[in-house]
Amino acid sequence: MTYMTETPEYVDEHARFAFDVFAKACTSRTTLEHLTGRWGILAMAALWHGPLRFNALRRRVEGVSEKMLAQTLQALERDGFVHREAQPSIPPRVDYSLTPMGRQTAGKLVDLIEFVESQMPEVTAAQARHDQAKVRV
Amino acid sequence: MTYMTETPEYVDEHARFAFDVFAKACTSRTTLEHLTGRWGILAMAALWHGPLRFNALRRRVEGVSEKMLAQTLQALERDGFVHREAQPSIPPRVDYSLTPMGRQTAGKLVDLIEFVESQMPEVTAAQARHDQAKVRV
DNA sequence: AGATTGCACATACTTTTTGAAAGTGCAAGC
DNA sequence: GCTTGCACTTTCAAAAAGTATGTGCAATCT
């Protein structure tokens, strides 16, 4: 008997095109990680409502360290989602905003976030059921 | 019955019973991370097209280790996005599929992925511009 | 027939990433 | 005149992720 009855594996119709996040070394995976990573998605969503200065963004995205916020914004800027505008004043003033592409992307991210938040009661219920079933040994 | 694991005093009246990913201790942030984390989003997107066995999923999501895939699927299962069905055969056969809530969520994730892939030419151009401006000797 | 491969994980150990803390240089407010 | 805020960078400890190996059995290869 073969190991057979193998569930037919899906073949991505877009695989023949240049970018595929399922491919290990594809640059699109890196960009996706910048956008959906722990801090990237929150920074993008925060900027969705309008430009913010570095420390304002830091206060909005609770829990992010200065180091990680700087790193995250640098990656998003390089990818063309975020625009950085620094005024050479003292103290420094740096405004972060979304580019047109960034705004489109952030819209989808905000939509995702709001959907997830709306599903949280069901998620919480599922977690409770899961933990009940496990602990009941 | 509080939805948030901790309800600090600075939570305002309107947000008290809502989930907010910007809040450090909100459970919705953890769930969002399960979904949009490095492997979570790829696993969800892979399952969007139909059920897959553990090792098939592992082959589809290039680069994921067994440890991380198992960990990721366990979190997604606990959150109620993924359904795990194990057959007590030898060798073992375990099918992973999306729950109704998981399917809705995966739809949004797939949409996001496809959008990001479609924007990659612009991203690549932005990166080139950025690097040019910086490395300009 | 004995060795190898595949299955779905778990566990010990190593490497990478992240986070926390302090440094920078200056100016406005207490 | 001393603290605070600005937008970061750098250093070092902690956490997360990645690597390698173990498990038990059956089907396939040599």
Side-chain angles (χ1 to χ4, degrees):
Chain A
M1 162 169 84
T2 58
Y3 273 106
M4 54 136 233
T5 61
E6 178 68 63
T7 306
E9 293 179 30
Y10 169 74
V11 177
D12 193 338
E13 289 176 8
H14 300 288
R16 62 179 176 282
F17 297 128
F19 298 101
D20 177 18
V21 294
F22 288 102
K24 200 164 137 189
C26 185
T27 57
S28 65
R29 183 181 285 191
T30 306
T31 297
L32 185 70
E33 281 168 15
H34 293 162
L35 290 169
T36 63
R38 185 163 189 188
W39 304 119
I41 189 169
L42 295 179
M44 290 291 291
L47 290 174
W48 166 246
H49 304 281
L52 285 174
R53 295 177 64 174
F54 185 85
N55 277 314
L57 202 43
R58 179 159 143 67
R59 282 186 294 267
R60 177 94 186 94
V61 180
E62 276 183 38
V64 70
S65 66
E66 299 186 336
K67 175 186 158 186
M68 288 313 295
L69 183 57
Q71 208 173 101
T72 299
L73 289 172
Q74 281 160 14
L76 292 174
E77 190 201 352
R78 190 173 102 95
D79 287 349
F81 296 106
V82 163
H83 174 67
R84 178 180 184 276
E85 193 158 8
Q87 283 165 30
S89 58
I90 289 172
R93 182 196 172 94
V94 182
D95 282 286
Y96 288 93
S97 57
L98 295 174
T99 63
M101 177 174 71
R103 205 164 306 121
Q104 258 193 96
T105 312
K108 286 173 184 291
L109 295 174
V110 167
D111 180 61
L112 176 67
I113 285 173
E114 286 176 358
F115 176 74
V116 170
E117 285 175 348
S118 79
Q119 296 305 114
M120 284 309 292
E122 190 169 337
V123 169
T124 304
Q127 290 174 344
R129 262 181 275 120
H130 184 91
D131 296 348
Q132 280 271 309
K134 277 234 160 171
V135 176
R136 200 165 30 133
V137 178
Chain B
M1 44 111 254
T2 47
Y3 287 133
M4 322 230 290
T5 53
E6 284 189 20
T7 41
E9 56 281 0
Y10 53 78
V11 170
D12 70 89
E13 196 66 20
H14 300 293
R16 185 161 13 164
F17 297 109
F19 292 98
D20 177 17
V21 293
F22 288 100
K24 201 164 134 190
C26 184
T27 57
S28 65
R29 182 182 285 191
T30 306
T31 297
L32 185 70
E33 281 168 14
H34 293 161
L35 288 170
T36 64
R38 184 163 190 189
W39 304 119
I41 189 170
L42 295 179
M44 290 292 289
L47 289 174
W48 192 71
H49 305 280
L52 285 173
R53 295 177 63 175
F54 185 84
N55 278 313
L57 201 44
R58 180 158 142 66
R59 283 187 293 269
R60 177 93 185 97
V61 181
E62 276 183 39
V64 70
S65 66
E66 298 186 335
K67 175 186 158 187
M68 288 313 296
L69 183 57
Q71 208 173 102
T72 299
L73 289 171
Q74 281 160 15
L76 292 173
E77 190 201 353
R78 190 172 103 94
D79 287 349
F81 296 106
V82 164
H83 175 67
R84 178 179 184 276
E85 192 157 11
Q87 282 165 32
S89 60
I90 289 173
R93 183 196 172 95
V94 181
D95 282 285
Y96 287 94
S97 57
L98 295 173
T99 62
M101 176 175 69
R103 205 165 306 121
Q104 258 193 96
T105 312
K108 287 175 183 291
L109 295 174
V110 167
D111 180 59
L112 176 68
I113 286 173
E114 287 177 358
F115 176 75
V116 171
E117 285 175 349
S118 79
Q119 297 303 114
M120 284 309 293
E122 190 169 337
V123 169
T124 304
Q127 291 173 344
R129 263 181 276 121
H130 184 90
D131 296 349
Q132 280 269 307
K134 278 236 160 170
V135 180
R136 193 176 1 174
V137 187

